[in-house]
Amino acid sequence: MEVTSLRFRENARRALRDPQLARALRMVREGFQQRRAQAVANLPEFEELRRIGAGIRDHVLERLDLYLEAFERRAREAGAQIHYALDGAEARRIVLDLLRSRGVSLVTKSKSMVAEEIELAEAIEAEGIRRVETDLGEYIIQLAHEPPSHLIGPAVHMTVERIARLFAEAHGTEPTTDAQELVAQARRVLRQKYLDAEAGITGANFLVAETGSVITVTNEGNAELTQGLPPLHIVVTSIEKLVPTMEDAFTLLRLLARSGTGQEFATYTTVLTGPRREGDLDGPEEMHIVLVDNGRSRMLGSPVRPMLRCIRCSACMNHCPVYLAVGGHAYGWTYVGPMGSVLTPALAGIEQTWPLPEASTFCGRCEEVCPVRIPLPGLMRVWREEAFRRGLPPATQRAGIRLWAFLAKRPRLYRLAFGLAVRTLGLLGRRRGRFSRLPLASGWTSVRDLPAPQGRTFLEQLGRGR
Ligand code: SF4
């Protein structure tokens, strides 16, 4: 997937003109925010749980090498095979080699953001292997040939009418907007695919070092069928998904469901330890776990390391005024919303993604709701500073920031300059009481009027009152 984050502003402008998207995003706001608030209100120890959750993630990140070794050892003992991939190309090669060498012609796949990140789906199809997404949202966007627009609701940007048209075309049925009927159609198609597939690919929500287990969470049960029915199961995940113990995993699972969907626990939480053993009724004959780095080791030693605590719950985007106005596609890559504005520059490079850290009002809501207390606005500021150092913002913006920094370090001059500017603007705008155009503030005045200043500045009034 091409990174189009550099075109964020253009993408956002297009999104803002789309009334169907606005309708879909209203549902995200109303649905997810209310359900999370209710779930949090029902759990008095939620704040304490957040503190513990952040501690677990930080502890793992400090000793990631040790936990990776422990996980590898336990997973091998349980019969799984472990592969390390330094980047997306290596991960794709490992997966394609496995599929080719087993003569796979049809693969089922459940939701995996890491697979999305490394463009696995495109690589599988380029190899001539059929791929069927089994998560309902992913199935819908596969039919639409679109990338996901949300971490846990990949098709949240679509209206039911659009889905009805897609299904009618793909299934040869009469268009219907009856949600039950649409789900039933998808189920009928997918059931047969589960049985026919020679391989299943899943992601992982957590990897448990003490047992070598992979934990997946869904509300549809599709990951279970994807990993349990075909003879070959491939897990594609990233190295930071580790947790030390099963107890730690369940602490984070309590936070994950409440923060994302507002559930106490997801409908299906599956712990898979190795492939099928003698006497097991089901399960894959082979299990391979591909641990993808793709820039995470670099992040460990950088100021944006806290971003690796993320458990992909989606709460930050569900509460972000920018995401809720422009949707996920505007962000131009796999990860969207506030977490995407920090993670995407870390993985794809700030030069490729620079406006993303500016896609924030810095209201701080994302940090408030993050179950592992990631300081998202602070991390976006890290990227803004880096972008400034590299000269990425426009020259006028950089000059403005330099001027402001110069004045801010000289309080007397600052007061004098702003007092003068305020009085000049007050005089110029006296007649109309507002400005519809202002050369150095065109970003503001192109979409709204700027009220003309009246009276004295705040600092002057504060000084007077003393
Ligand atoms: S940054 Fe926090 S709120 Fe956002 S997806 Fe990650 S864990 Fe959830």
Side-chain angles (χ1 to χ4, degrees):
M1 177 183 167
E2 187 202 354
V3 184
T4 65
S5 308
L6 278 178
R7 301 202 290 272
F8 176 79
R9 287 196 175 86
E10 190 187 322
N11 296 345
R13 264 195 286 274
R14 197 174 324 116
L16 286 169
R17 287 195 295 267
D18 183 343
Q20 289 195 347
L21 179 64
R23 188 150 56 99
L25 291 170
R26 211 166 26 247
M27 312 256 294
V28 174
R29 181 171 50 233
E30 285 160 11
F32 284 119
Q33 287 190 8
Q34 280 169 17
R35 285 200 293 270
R36 177 195 174 272
Q38 191 56 54
V40 169
N42 290 344
L43 190 72
E45 70 268 32
F46 189 77
E47 278 310 306
E48 178 61 5
L49 212 53
R50 281 180 79 209
R51 192 188 61 75
I52 297 170
I56 293 170
R57 301 298 297 135
D58 277 345
H59 172 86
V60 169
L61 295 174
E62 268 158 35
R63 299 160 184 81
L64 195 56
D65 50 343
L66 296 181
Y67 284 118
L68 273 171
E69 276 178 27
F71 173 78
E72 180 183 346
R73 201 167 44 246
R74 295 287 181 228
R76 282 195 204 282
E77 282 166 11
Q81 296 183 49
I82 305 291
H83 310 260
Y84 288 97
L86 199 57
D87 54 22
E90 194 174 1
R92 291 194 297 271
R93 185 184 53 69
I94 292 167
V95 174
L96 292 181
D97 281 353
L98 286 167
L99 298 178
R100 255 190 246 116
S101 59
R102 273 79 176 166
V104 172
S105 60
L106 172 66
V107 59
T108 46
K109 183 176 155 297
S110 72
K111 203 158 77 58
S112 159
M113 295 312 287
V114 178
E116 197 70 38
E117 172 189 323
I118 63 168
E119 301 175 7
L120 185 60
E122 293 82 350
I124 290 173
E125 279 170 10
E127 198 62 27
I129 298 170
R130 281 183 301 142
R131 162 189 64 101
V132 179
E133 295 290 338
T134 60
D135 172 274
L136 182 59
E138 292 279 344
Y139 178 69
I140 293 167
I141 60 170
Q142 183 181 11
L143 293 180
H145 305 288
E146 284 184 7
S149 66
H150 189 272
L151 277 185
I152 58 173
V156 285
H157 59 286
M158 286 201 188
T159 56
V160 70
E161 291 78 16
R162 176 135 185 249
I163 297 168
R165 284 196 297 277
L166 283 170
F167 274 34
E169 207 174 296
H171 303 155
T173 51
E174 281 300 308
T176 172
T177 53
D178 178 346
Q180 299 290 343
E181 170 54 23
L182 292 170
V183 171
Q185 281 184 26
R187 184 177 288 141
R188 274 197 295 277
V189 173
L190 291 175
R191 285 281 148 152
Q192 195 54 47
K193 303 292 181 202
Y194 289 123
L195 296 169
D196 295 344
E198 297 107 348
I201 297 176
T202 68
N205 289 83
F206 298 108
L207 304 169
V208 185
E210 73 170 348
T211 57
S213 310
V214 173
I215 297 185
T216 55
V217 173
T218 69
N219 277 321
E220 298 164 22
N222 62 302
E224 288 67 21
L225 296 171
T226 304
Q227 65 202 15
L229 291 179
L232 171 65
H233 175 207
I234 306 172
V235 182
V236 179
T237 189
S238 50
I239 53 174
E240 86 284 8
K241 297 282 172 72
L242 277 162
V243 290
T245 65
M246 198 58 85
E247 193 180 335
D248 293 330
F250 276 79
T251 301
L252 292 168
L253 284 166
R254 291 178 75 199
L255 283 165
L256 176 67
R258 284 179 172 87
S259 302
T261 51
Q263 294 164 289
E264 289 189 359
F265 226 72
T267 313
Y268 296 90
T269 298
T270 297
V271 179
L272 197 73
T273 313
R276 177 200 296 230
R277 275 167 287 239
E278 224 179 286
D280 283 353
L281 292 177
D282 47 32
E285 287 156 24
E286 277 185 83
M287 180 184 186
H288 294 259
I289 304 171
V290 185
L291 297 167
V292 182
D293 184 318
N294 209 27
R296 274 120 179 130
S297 300
R298 201 175 51 232
M299 282 177 72
L300 272 177
S302 81
V304 293
R305 168 173 159 158
M307 192 62 233
L308 291 171
R309 285 186 207 152
C310 179
I311 57 173
R312 309 286 190 265
C313 71
S314 81
C316 55
M317 59 202 69
N318 296 340
H319 292 77
C320 174
V322 176
Y323 174 88
L324 292 171
V326 302
H329 289 162
Y331 290 78
W333 202 48
T334 308
Y335 300 107
V336 304
M339 61 83 72
S341 294
V342 178
L343 188 59
T344 305
L347 299 181
I350 186 69
E351 308 266 351
Q352 297 296 318
T353 58
W354 121 253
L356 289 187
E358 294 224 322
S360 169
T361 61
F362 271 17
C363 67
R365 196 75 180 106
C366 51
E367 183 173 353
E368 264 173 41
V369 296
C370 176
V372 284
R373 292 179 162 180
I374 299 175
L376 290 154
L379 299 182
M380 281 183 238
R381 190 171 293 122
V382 169
W383 283 126
R384 287 187 187 189
E385 286 168 10
E386 183 60 29
F388 188 80
R389 268 194 293 277
R390 296 187 190 205
L392 300 177
T396 46
Q397 190 177 333
R398 293 203 311 277
I401 291 172
R402 274 205 196 91
L403 176 66
W404 186 85
F406 176 82
L407 292 171
K409 285 183 214 153
R410 295 162 180 82
R412 278 170 172 237
L413 195 58
Y414 182 95
R415 275 197 287 273
L416 187 70
F418 274 80
L420 263 175
V422 164
R423 263 186 279 284
T424 309
L425 283 176
L427 277 173
L428 290 174
R430 196 172 42 187
R431 208 160 53 84
R432 294 185 64 211
R434 62 195 159 82
F435 294 94
S436 308
R437 282 184 61 205
L438 209 56
L440 287 176
S442 59
W444 177 282
T445 52
S446 63
V447 285
R448 59 179 95 65
D449 288 347
L450 180 75
Q454 293 174 7
R456 292 174 170 272
T457 66
F458 174 75
L459 283 176
E460 283 167 350
Q461 292 185 41
L462 190 72
R464 261 184 167 189
R466 272 190 194 145

